[in-house]
Amino acid sequence: MNERIHPAGLERFDRDVLVALRRSSFLPVLYGLMALSGLGERPVPLGELATALGRAKEDTERLVRLHTTARVRDSLVHWEAPVPVTRARRTLHVGDRAVPMNRCFAAAFLLASILDVPFGLDEPCAATGVPIRIDFVPGGCALVEPRGTVVAVPSPASPRRDRWHDAEWKDDNVCVHGVGFASAAVARPWLVDHPGGRIFTVAEMFDRPWIARGQHTLRLRLPARSERS
């Protein structure tokens, strides 16, 4: 990306995102549950999720009930699509299943760093409505259309950064601005409207230290897929 898109301060931006993610109590729960359930394909034993998070079962159940729409019954966590289709910002495709999702567009990259199965993502460009398609594989992607697709990431360095730990607040006030664009050119007005925000190509997203963090922390604690079947 050129200097007009990525001015000085990228290292600090990455550091601010990392700090915000580390302070979040709901993100590990949310992504751990999505990964272990295969995006809702199967219920997750509460003890398995607790082990992945490094927490006690009682604390894990409290966080699940506090931060997700999942149901806990008979020590199993049942994760379902968290938003109605009519309100979803994007659709994830896992096998023959379509899963409506919100969160930031960048959240799909975090998910790809954790999930051990391929999945696709469909989202309209936030500026033009042009369909964006990304086919993710574990730790990377196999297809990006349009090829110039960029990911908009709002700055976590705001007066309300302390609210990043609140799942609902973050989705309604931060993630709603974390969208995808079919090209860097059509994303420029977003940069003007979101001071401190950044746009990244798909390749650059996989270079972000806060994406790699998912692979080096939570994914390493998840049981292998064969152990979960």
Side-chain angles (χ1 to χ4, degrees):
M1 304 294 281
N2 62 45
E3 191 63 19
R4 289 177 298 170
I5 296 174
H6 281 300
L10 178 57
E11 184 176 344
R12 179 168 184 175
F13 179 89
D14 284 336
R15 185 169 62 250
D16 284 344
V17 175
L18 274 170
V19 168
L21 293 180
R22 286 172 180 149
R23 289 177 175 172
S24 171
S25 61
F26 78 86
L27 283 174
V29 177
L30 181 64
Y31 288 103
L33 183 55
M34 287 194 289
L36 288 169
S37 71
L39 290 174
E41 182 179 24
R42 55 190 172 271
V44 178
L46 182 61
E48 193 172 278
L49 179 60
T51 297
L53 299 178
R55 291 180 176 271
K57 289 175 63 174
E58 295 77 9
D59 191 32
T60 299
E61 181 173 354
R62 177 184 63 82
L63 291 172
V64 167
R65 294 185 185 279
L66 178 64
H67 292 311
T68 79
T69 58
R71 295 175 293 109
V72 183
R73 188 175 62 225
D74 298 329
S75 293
L76 289 176
V77 185
H78 300 264
W79 185 85
E80 299 172 352
V83 293
V85 174
T86 54
R87 291 183 52 206
R89 299 181 195 124
R90 62 194 55 87
T91 302
L92 303 185
H93 301 276
V94 188
D96 60 356
R97 294 185 302 124
V99 182
M101 291 291 293
N102 274 351
R103 318 308 310 171
C104 298
F105 191 13
F109 293 82
L110 282 168
L111 192 56
S113 74
I114 298 170
L115 273 181
D116 57 1
V117 295
F119 67 96
L121 175 149
D122 288 325
E123 173 165 347
C125 169
T128 66
V130 168
I132 293 173
R133 172 75 182 200
I134 301 178
D135 287 344
F136 290 94
V137 295
C141 67
L143 172 73
V144 181
E145 292 181 348
R147 293 180 62 183
T149 292
V150 295
V151 183
V153 183
S155 172
S158 71
R160 304 298 299 279
R161 65 186 302 169
D162 59 304
R163 296 291 300 278
W164 267 52
H165 70 280
D166 185 314
E168 185 174 352
W169 183 91
K170 183 176 183 292
D171 190 53
D172 291 343
N173 295 276
V174 178
C175 291
V176 69
H177 300 287
V179 293
F181 292 97
S183 70
V186 299
R188 291 186 185 281
W190 183 93
L191 286 170
V192 174
D193 293 338
H194 296 81
R198 301 280 174 151
I199 61 173
F200 300 100
T201 65
V202 170
E204 286 179 321
M205 283 297 295
F206 286 106
D207 289 335
R208 306 273 52 84
W210 32 278
I211 297 299
R213 179 177 179 268
Q215 193 165 22
H216 295 308
T217 54
L218 183 57
R219 185 171 184 177
L220 293 180
R221 295 199 297 267
L222 296 175
R225 190 182 185 192
S226 60
E227 297 173 15
R228 306 198 298 266
S229 56

Short mmCIF file of all heavy atoms in Angstrom, two decimals, residues 182-227:
data_model
loop_
_atom_site.label_atom_id
_atom_site.label_comp_id
_atom_site.label_asym_id
_atom_site.label_seq_id
_atom_site.Cartn_x
_atom_site.Cartn_y
_atom_site.Cartn_z
N ALA A 182 -14.18 -2.84 -2.31
CA ALA A 182 -13.71 -3.54 -3.50
C ALA A 182 -12.36 -3.05 -3.99
O ALA A 182 -11.67 -3.74 -4.75
CB ALA A 182 -14.74 -3.42 -4.62
N SER A 183 -11.94 -1.85 -3.56
CA SER A 183 -10.63 -1.31 -3.94
C SER A 183 -10.22 -0.24 -2.96
O SER A 183 -11.07 0.33 -2.23
CB SER A 183 -10.68 -0.72 -5.35
OG SER A 183 -11.43 0.47 -5.37
N ALA A 184 -8.93 0.09 -2.95
CA ALA A 184 -8.43 1.15 -2.09
C ALA A 184 -8.99 2.51 -2.50
O ALA A 184 -9.24 3.38 -1.67
CB ALA A 184 -6.90 1.18 -2.12
N ALA A 185 -9.23 2.68 -3.81
CA ALA A 185 -9.72 3.97 -4.30
C ALA A 185 -11.09 4.30 -3.72
O ALA A 185 -11.34 5.43 -3.28
CB ALA A 185 -9.78 3.96 -5.83
N VAL A 186 -12.01 3.32 -3.70
CA VAL A 186 -13.35 3.62 -3.20
C VAL A 186 -13.38 3.67 -1.67
O VAL A 186 -14.38 4.11 -1.09
CB VAL A 186 -14.39 2.59 -3.72
CG1 VAL A 186 -14.44 2.63 -5.24
CG2 VAL A 186 -14.10 1.19 -3.22
N ALA A 187 -12.28 3.25 -1.02
CA ALA A 187 -12.21 3.30 0.44
C ALA A 187 -11.70 4.63 0.96
O ALA A 187 -11.78 4.89 2.16
CB ALA A 187 -11.29 2.18 0.95
N ARG A 188 -11.21 5.50 0.10
CA ARG A 188 -10.61 6.75 0.57
C ARG A 188 -11.56 7.64 1.37
O ARG A 188 -11.15 8.22 2.38
CB ARG A 188 -10.01 7.51 -0.60
CG ARG A 188 -8.79 6.82 -1.18
CD ARG A 188 -8.10 7.66 -2.25
NE ARG A 188 -7.01 6.90 -2.85
CZ ARG A 188 -5.82 6.71 -2.31
NH1 ARG A 188 -5.56 7.25 -1.14
NH2 ARG A 188 -4.90 6.01 -2.93
N PRO A 189 -12.83 7.76 0.97
CA PRO A 189 -13.73 8.56 1.81
C PRO A 189 -13.88 8.00 3.22
O PRO A 189 -14.06 8.77 4.18
CB PRO A 189 -15.06 8.50 1.04
CG PRO A 189 -14.66 8.29 -0.38
CD PRO A 189 -13.46 7.38 -0.32
N TRP A 190 -13.79 6.69 3.37
CA TRP A 190 -13.86 6.08 4.69
C TRP A 190 -12.70 6.56 5.55
O TRP A 190 -12.86 6.85 6.75
CB TRP A 190 -13.83 4.56 4.58
CG TRP A 190 -13.96 3.83 5.88
CD1 TRP A 190 -15.11 3.36 6.46
CD2 TRP A 190 -12.90 3.48 6.79
NE1 TRP A 190 -14.83 2.75 7.67
CE2 TRP A 190 -13.48 2.81 7.90
CE3 TRP A 190 -11.52 3.67 6.78
CZ2 TRP A 190 -12.72 2.33 8.97
CZ3 TRP A 190 -10.77 3.20 7.86
CH2 TRP A 190 -11.36 2.54 8.93
N LEU A 191 -11.52 6.64 4.97
CA LEU A 191 -10.34 7.11 5.71
C LEU A 191 -10.52 8.54 6.21
O LEU A 191 -10.11 8.88 7.32
CB LEU A 191 -9.09 7.02 4.83
CG LEU A 191 -8.53 5.62 4.58
CD1 LEU A 191 -7.45 5.68 3.50
CD2 LEU A 191 -7.98 5.02 5.86
N VAL A 192 -11.16 9.37 5.39
CA VAL A 192 -11.42 10.76 5.79
C VAL A 192 -12.41 10.80 6.95
O VAL A 192 -12.26 11.57 7.90
CB VAL A 192 -11.97 11.57 4.60
CG1 VAL A 192 -12.38 12.97 5.04
CG2 VAL A 192 -10.92 11.65 3.48
N ASP A 193 -13.40 9.93 6.90
CA ASP A 193 -14.45 9.92 7.92
C ASP A 193 -14.04 9.19 9.20
O ASP A 193 -14.75 9.28 10.21
CB ASP A 193 -15.72 9.25 7.38
CG ASP A 193 -16.37 10.07 6.27
OD1 ASP A 193 -16.13 11.30 6.22
OD2 ASP A 193 -17.12 9.49 5.46
N HIS A 194 -12.93 8.45 9.16
CA HIS A 194 -12.51 7.66 10.32
C HIS A 194 -11.04 7.97 10.64
O HIS A 194 -10.14 7.17 10.34
CB HIS A 194 -12.68 6.16 10.05
CG HIS A 194 -14.11 5.77 9.86
ND1 HIS A 194 -14.76 5.95 8.66
CD2 HIS A 194 -15.01 5.21 10.72
CE1 HIS A 194 -16.01 5.51 8.79
NE2 HIS A 194 -16.18 5.07 10.02
N PRO A 195 -10.77 9.13 11.23
CA PRO A 195 -9.39 9.52 11.55
C PRO A 195 -8.71 8.45 12.39
O PRO A 195 -9.27 7.93 13.35
CB PRO A 195 -9.57 10.82 12.35
CG PRO A 195 -10.89 11.35 11.91
CD PRO A 195 -11.75 10.14 11.65
N GLY A 196 -7.50 8.11 11.99
CA GLY A 196 -6.74 7.09 12.72
C GLY A 196 -7.01 5.68 12.24
O GLY A 196 -6.28 4.75 12.60
N GLY A 197 -8.07 5.49 11.43
CA GLY A 197 -8.36 4.16 10.90
C GLY A 197 -7.40 3.78 9.79
O GLY A 197 -6.68 4.63 9.26
N ARG A 198 -7.38 2.52 9.43
CA ARG A 198 -6.48 2.00 8.40
C ARG A 198 -7.22 1.10 7.44
O ARG A 198 -8.23 0.49 7.81
CB ARG A 198 -5.35 1.19 9.05
CG ARG A 198 -4.50 1.96 10.05
CD ARG A 198 -3.49 2.81 9.34
NE ARG A 198 -2.77 3.66 10.27
CZ ARG A 198 -1.53 4.08 10.08
NH1 ARG A 198 -0.85 3.72 9.01
NH2 ARG A 198 -0.95 4.88 10.96
N ILE A 199 -6.72 1.03 6.22
CA ILE A 199 -7.19 0.02 5.29
C ILE A 199 -6.01 -0.86 4.89
O ILE A 199 -4.89 -0.38 4.72
CB ILE A 199 -7.89 0.62 4.05
CG1 ILE A 199 -6.94 1.51 3.24
CG2 ILE A 199 -9.14 1.38 4.45
CD1 ILE A 199 -7.54 1.98 1.93
N PHE A 200 -6.29 -2.16 4.77
CA PHE A 200 -5.25 -3.13 4.46
C PHE A 200 -5.72 -4.04 3.32
O PHE A 200 -6.90 -4.38 3.24
CB PHE A 200 -4.95 -4.02 5.68
CG PHE A 200 -4.47 -3.28 6.89
CD1 PHE A 200 -5.33 -2.97 7.93
CD2 PHE A 200 -3.14 -2.88 6.99
CE1 PHE A 200 -4.89 -2.30 9.06
CE2 PHE A 200 -2.68 -2.20 8.12
CZ PHE A 200 -3.56 -1.91 9.15
N THR A 201 -4.77 -4.43 2.48
CA THR A 201 -5.08 -5.47 1.51
C THR A 201 -5.26 -6.78 2.27
O THR A 201 -4.90 -6.90 3.45
CB THR A 201 -3.96 -5.64 0.48
OG1 THR A 201 -2.78 -6.13 1.15
CG2 THR A 201 -3.64 -4.33 -0.23
N VAL A 202 -5.81 -7.77 1.58
CA VAL A 202 -5.99 -9.08 2.21
C VAL A 202 -4.64 -9.65 2.63
O VAL A 202 -4.49 -10.20 3.73
CB VAL A 202 -6.73 -10.03 1.25
CG1 VAL A 202 -6.72 -11.46 1.78
CG2 VAL A 202 -8.18 -9.55 1.06
N ALA A 203 -3.64 -9.52 1.76
CA ALA A 203 -2.30 -10.03 2.11
C ALA A 203 -1.75 -9.32 3.33
O ALA A 203 -1.14 -9.95 4.21
CB ALA A 203 -1.36 -9.87 0.92
N GLU A 204 -1.95 -8.01 3.42
CA GLU A 204 -1.44 -7.25 4.57
C GLU A 204 -2.15 -7.66 5.86
O GLU A 204 -1.54 -7.62 6.93
CB GLU A 204 -1.63 -5.76 4.33
CG GLU A 204 -0.66 -5.16 3.33
CD GLU A 204 -0.92 -3.69 3.10
OE1 GLU A 204 -2.08 -3.27 3.06
OE2 GLU A 204 0.08 -2.95 2.96
N MET A 205 -3.40 -8.05 5.76
CA MET A 205 -4.12 -8.47 6.96
C MET A 205 -3.43 -9.67 7.61
O MET A 205 -3.33 -9.75 8.84
CB MET A 205 -5.56 -8.82 6.62
CG MET A 205 -6.46 -7.62 6.41
SD MET A 205 -6.64 -6.59 7.90
CE MET A 205 -7.49 -7.73 9.00
N PHE A 206 -2.95 -10.60 6.80
CA PHE A 206 -2.30 -11.78 7.36
C PHE A 206 -0.92 -11.46 7.93
O PHE A 206 -0.32 -12.28 8.61
CB PHE A 206 -2.21 -12.88 6.31
CG PHE A 206 -3.54 -13.55 6.05
CD1 PHE A 206 -4.24 -13.31 4.88
CD2 PHE A 206 -4.10 -14.41 6.99
CE1 PHE A 206 -5.47 -13.91 4.65
CE2 PHE A 206 -5.32 -15.01 6.76
CZ PHE A 206 -6.01 -14.77 5.59
N ASP A 207 -0.43 -10.25 7.66
CA ASP A 207 0.84 -9.81 8.23
C ASP A 207 0.66 -9.07 9.56
O ASP A 207 1.64 -8.75 10.22
CB ASP A 207 1.58 -8.88 7.26
CG ASP A 207 2.13 -9.61 6.05
OD1 ASP A 207 2.36 -10.83 6.17
OD2 ASP A 207 2.31 -8.97 5.00
N ARG A 208 -0.56 -8.78 9.93
CA ARG A 208 -0.81 -8.02 11.13
C ARG A 208 -0.50 -8.87 12.37
O ARG A 208 -0.93 -10.02 12.47
CB ARG A 208 -2.28 -7.55 11.22
CG ARG A 208 -2.73 -6.79 9.98
CD ARG A 208 -2.44 -5.30 10.01
NE ARG A 208 -1.11 -4.87 10.31
CZ ARG A 208 -0.12 -4.79 9.40
NH1 ARG A 208 -0.29 -5.19 8.17
NH2 ARG A 208 1.05 -4.33 9.75
N PRO A 209 0.21 -8.31 13.33
CA PRO A 209 0.56 -9.08 14.54
C PRO A 209 -0.67 -9.48 15.35
O PRO A 209 -0.64 -10.49 16.05
CB PRO A 209 1.47 -8.13 15.32
CG PRO A 209 1.15 -6.77 14.80
CD PRO A 209 0.80 -6.95 13.36
N TRP A 210 -1.74 -8.70 15.26
CA TRP A 210 -2.94 -9.03 16.02
C TRP A 210 -3.74 -10.16 15.37
O TRP A 210 -4.59 -10.77 16.02
CB TRP A 210 -3.81 -7.79 16.26
CG TRP A 210 -3.78 -6.76 15.18
CD1 TRP A 210 -2.84 -5.79 15.01
CD2 TRP A 210 -4.74 -6.56 14.13
NE1 TRP A 210 -3.15 -5.00 13.92
CE2 TRP A 210 -4.30 -5.44 13.38
CE3 TRP A 210 -5.92 -7.20 13.77
CZ2 TRP A 210 -5.02 -4.97 12.26
CZ3 TRP A 210 -6.64 -6.73 12.67
CH2 TRP A 210 -6.18 -5.63 11.94
N ILE A 211 -3.50 -10.45 14.10
CA ILE A 211 -4.08 -11.64 13.49
C ILE A 211 -3.23 -12.86 13.87
O ILE A 211 -3.75 -13.92 14.24
CB ILE A 211 -4.14 -11.50 11.96
CG1 ILE A 211 -5.06 -10.33 11.56
CG2 ILE A 211 -4.61 -12.80 11.32
CD1 ILE A 211 -6.49 -10.49 12.00
N ALA A 212 -1.92 -12.70 13.80
CA ALA A 212 -1.03 -13.81 14.17
C ALA A 212 -1.22 -14.22 15.62
O ALA A 212 -1.03 -15.38 15.99
CB ALA A 212 0.43 -13.41 13.93
N ARG A 213 -1.62 -13.27 16.47
CA ARG A 213 -1.81 -13.57 17.89
C ARG A 213 -2.83 -14.68 18.09
O ARG A 213 -2.66 -15.55 18.96
CB ARG A 213 -2.25 -12.32 18.63
CG ARG A 213 -2.50 -12.54 20.11
CD ARG A 213 -2.87 -11.24 20.82
NE ARG A 213 -3.12 -11.47 22.23
CZ ARG A 213 -4.32 -11.74 22.74
NH1 ARG A 213 -5.37 -11.81 21.94
NH2 ARG A 213 -4.48 -11.93 24.03
N GLY A 214 -3.90 -14.70 17.28
CA GLY A 214 -4.90 -15.74 17.42
C GLY A 214 -4.32 -17.12 17.17
O GLY A 214 -4.61 -18.09 17.89
N GLN A 215 -3.44 -17.20 16.17
CA GLN A 215 -2.84 -18.49 15.84
C GLN A 215 -1.85 -18.93 16.90
O GLN A 215 -1.71 -20.13 17.18
CB GLN A 215 -2.14 -18.39 14.48
CG GLN A 215 -1.75 -19.73 13.89
CD GLN A 215 -1.41 -19.62 12.42
OE1 GLN A 215 -1.07 -18.55 11.93
NE2 GLN A 215 -1.51 -20.71 11.69
N HIS A 216 -1.19 -17.99 17.53
CA HIS A 216 -0.14 -18.33 18.50
C HIS A 216 -0.65 -18.44 19.93
O HIS A 216 0.11 -18.79 20.82
CB HIS A 216 0.98 -17.30 18.43
CG HIS A 216 1.70 -17.28 17.11
ND1 HIS A 216 2.22 -18.41 16.54
CD2 HIS A 216 1.97 -16.27 16.26
CE1 HIS A 216 2.79 -18.10 15.38
NE2 HIS A 216 2.64 -16.81 15.19
N THR A 217 -1.92 -18.12 20.14
CA THR A 217 -2.47 -18.23 21.50
C THR A 217 -3.60 -19.24 21.52
O THR A 217 -3.42 -20.40 21.83
CB THR A 217 -2.94 -16.86 22.01
OG1 THR A 217 -3.87 -16.28 21.07
CG2 THR A 217 -1.77 -15.91 22.19
N LEU A 218 -4.80 -18.79 21.15
CA LEU A 218 -5.97 -19.65 21.29
C LEU A 218 -5.89 -20.91 20.45
O LEU A 218 -6.20 -22.00 20.92
CB LEU A 218 -7.23 -18.85 20.92
CG LEU A 218 -8.56 -19.60 21.09
CD1 LEU A 218 -8.74 -20.09 22.52
CD2 LEU A 218 -9.71 -18.69 20.69
N ARG A 219 -5.44 -20.80 19.20
CA ARG A 219 -5.44 -21.99 18.34
C ARG A 219 -4.54 -23.09 18.89
O ARG A 219 -4.82 -24.27 18.76
CB ARG A 219 -5.00 -21.63 16.92
CG ARG A 219 -5.11 -22.81 15.95
CD ARG A 219 -4.89 -22.41 14.53
NE ARG A 219 -5.11 -23.56 13.65
CZ ARG A 219 -5.04 -23.51 12.34
NH1 ARG A 219 -4.77 -22.36 11.73
NH2 ARG A 219 -5.24 -24.59 11.60
N LEU A 220 -3.45 -22.71 19.53
CA LEU A 220 -2.54 -23.70 20.07
C LEU A 220 -3.16 -24.48 21.23
O LEU A 220 -2.72 -25.57 21.55
CB LEU A 220 -1.23 -23.03 20.52
CG LEU A 220 -0.37 -22.44 19.41
CD1 LEU A 220 0.88 -21.81 20.00
CD2 LEU A 220 0.00 -23.50 18.38
N ARG A 221 -4.20 -23.90 21.86
CA ARG A 221 -4.85 -24.56 22.98
C ARG A 221 -6.07 -25.37 22.56
O ARG A 221 -6.66 -26.07 23.37
CB ARG A 221 -5.25 -23.54 24.05
CG ARG A 221 -4.07 -22.84 24.70
CD ARG A 221 -4.47 -22.21 26.02
NE ARG A 221 -5.46 -21.17 25.86
CZ ARG A 221 -5.18 -19.87 25.72
NH1 ARG A 221 -3.93 -19.47 25.71
NH2 ARG A 221 -6.14 -18.98 25.58
N LEU A 222 -6.49 -25.23 21.29
CA LEU A 222 -7.65 -25.96 20.82
C LEU A 222 -7.28 -27.40 20.49
O LEU A 222 -6.22 -27.66 19.91
CB LEU A 222 -8.22 -25.30 19.56
CG LEU A 222 -8.78 -23.88 19.73
CD1 LEU A 222 -9.20 -23.33 18.37
CD2 LEU A 222 -9.96 -23.88 20.68
N PRO A 223 -8.13 -28.36 20.83
CA PRO A 223 -7.84 -29.74 20.46
C PRO A 223 -7.91 -29.92 18.94
O PRO A 223 -8.61 -29.18 18.26
CB PRO A 223 -8.96 -30.53 21.15
CG PRO A 223 -10.06 -29.54 21.36
CD PRO A 223 -9.38 -28.22 21.57
N ALA A 224 -7.17 -30.88 18.44
CA ALA A 224 -7.19 -31.15 17.00
C ALA A 224 -8.60 -31.57 16.60
O ALA A 224 -9.39 -32.10 17.38
CB ALA A 224 -6.20 -32.25 16.66
N ARG A 225 -8.95 -31.35 15.32
CA ARG A 225 -10.29 -31.66 14.85
C ARG A 225 -10.62 -33.14 15.07
O ARG A 225 -11.75 -33.48 15.42
CB ARG A 225 -10.40 -31.30 13.36
CG ARG A 225 -11.82 -31.35 12.84
CD ARG A 225 -11.85 -31.04 11.36
NE ARG A 225 -13.23 -30.97 10.88
CZ ARG A 225 -13.54 -30.95 9.62
NH1 ARG A 225 -12.61 -31.01 8.69
NH2 ARG A 225 -14.82 -30.90 9.23
N SER A 226 -9.66 -34.03 14.86
CA SER A 226 -9.91 -35.46 15.04
C SER A 226 -10.27 -35.80 16.48
O SER A 226 -11.03 -36.71 16.75
CB SER A 226 -8.67 -36.25 14.63
OG SER A 226 -7.56 -35.90 15.41
N GLU A 227 -9.78 -34.99 17.42
CA GLU A 227 -10.09 -35.21 18.83
C GLU A 227 -11.48 -34.74 19.19
O GLU A 227 -12.03 -35.12 20.21
CB GLU A 227 -9.06 -34.48 19.71
CG GLU A 227 -7.63 -34.98 19.53
CD GLU A 227 -6.65 -34.10 20.29
OE1 GLU A 227 -7.10 -33.32 21.15
OE2 GLU A 227 -5.45 -34.19 20.04
#
